[in-house]
Amino acid sequence: MKTKALIMGIAATLLLAIVCCPDAQARKKSHRTHKKPAQRTLVVYYSQTSNTRTVAKEIARKLGADIEEIAPVTPYDGDYKATIERSKKEREQGILPEIKPIKADIKKYDVIFLGYPIWYGTFAPPMEAFLSQVDLSGKKLVPFCTFGSGGLEISKIILEAKQKGAKILDGYGVRAARMAAMPNEVDQFLKANGFLKGKYVKLGEFSAPHYVSDEESAIYDAAIGDYPMMKNTRARTVASRAIPDGTEYLFTAYVKQDRPVDPNVAMRPPKDMQVYVIVINGKAPEFTKVVR
């Protein structure tokens, strides 16, 4: 009887502890279900011809992010020549265009995607004006851009100099001539960099470079075509790697007036540029970007 009474007493004590200490149970359950807060993401962009806007909306849609457009008080003329003349004059005089304030509270966001077209080798003046007005210290910044031939790499370096307190992550760039490829490339970029869950193609390393053969030189020339900024260039060396349904080439190239190809010079002299070219099975070669 004593033993039975002792067991019943212990059981009653344990039941009382459970009933009287719900907070402890709740804390234990909360600890098991606690998740790291999701990063708050904002897409800020400037676009003149709508290409950068299209990329910005695609990124915002896939991430469910807020989106804001940078708008100059005096818009740039849609005419290419007029835009070039105005922006050239502004750069020569050290003038930044006046822009309208954005509505979003920058302080609320952890990750900010910054989108812009490339003008004169870097981000367009409205984006520069925006960067001169804000302090993005402590934020993760992801640049993305549209361009005729390239400029992502240089614009990233300038972005790092202008926002030293921020962490600048890898960016995405696309030629205006390749906008049809953008949705898939953006999807792969976001997944490869951990912004989206899902499978993505992890590309291998480029092969060791070698001097171009006649066949490889023909691939380069076909990719460049009559693009005005590149038509006077020639391929010097090339490396390659497999991509889905084709091959990607990394050419080093030079402006043919500068110097002839000399097999005794270094594989990549200082003035050479890097030109990325893809050849999808059954399609003509096309260059994706130039890094100067």
Side-chain angles (χ1 to χ4, degrees), residues 75-213:
Y76 286 83
D77 193 298
D79 178 74
Y80 176 78
K81 184 178 180 181
T83 297
I84 292 297
E85 290 177 352
R86 174 183 166 182
S87 60
K88 181 180 179 181
K89 182 178 180 180
E90 288 174 339
R91 286 186 179 277
E92 289 173 347
Q93 297 180 1
I95 298 173
L96 290 178
E98 183 181 359
I99 60 174
K100 299 176 183 179
I102 66 172
K103 298 177 182 179
D105 182 359
I106 293 292
K107 296 179 182 178
K108 294 181 179 180
Y109 297 93
D110 307 295
V111 180
I112 301 176
F113 284 73
L114 296 172
Y116 44 85
I118 296 294
W119 295 1
Y120 291 101
T122 186
F123 35 72
M127 176 57 72
E128 186 172 359
F130 172 75
L131 293 171
S132 70
Q133 296 176 9
V134 295
D135 181 2
L136 302 178
S137 295
K139 311 291 184 184
K140 294 179 181 178
L141 306 183
V142 186
F144 66 94
C145 59
T146 57
F147 46 73
S149 58
L152 172 64
E153 290 74 15
I154 292 177
S155 67
K156 182 182 175 183
I157 292 172
I158 297 174
L159 178 59
E160 290 172 339
K162 288 185 175 294
Q163 295 291 334
K164 295 181 179 179
K167 183 177 181 180
I168 315 300
L169 305 183
D170 289 339
Y172 168 74
V174 61
R175 287 185 64 210
R178 300 186 64 256
M179 287 297 292
M182 179 274 296
N184 179 64
E185 290 183 353
V186 164
D187 180 75
Q188 291 290 294
F189 171 78
L190 295 175
K191 289 175 179 177
N193 288 278
F195 296 108
L196 275 182
K197 292 183 179 180
K199 295 182 180 179
Y200 65 93
V201 177
K202 187 175 182 180
L203 300 177
E205 298 293 329
F206 281 100
S207 64
H210 59 267
Y211 286 103
V212 295
S213 65

Side-chain angles (χ1 to χ4, degrees), residues 21-29:
C21 303
D23 289 345
Q25 297 298 316
R27 286 196 298 270
K28 185 176 181 181
K29 183 177 180 180

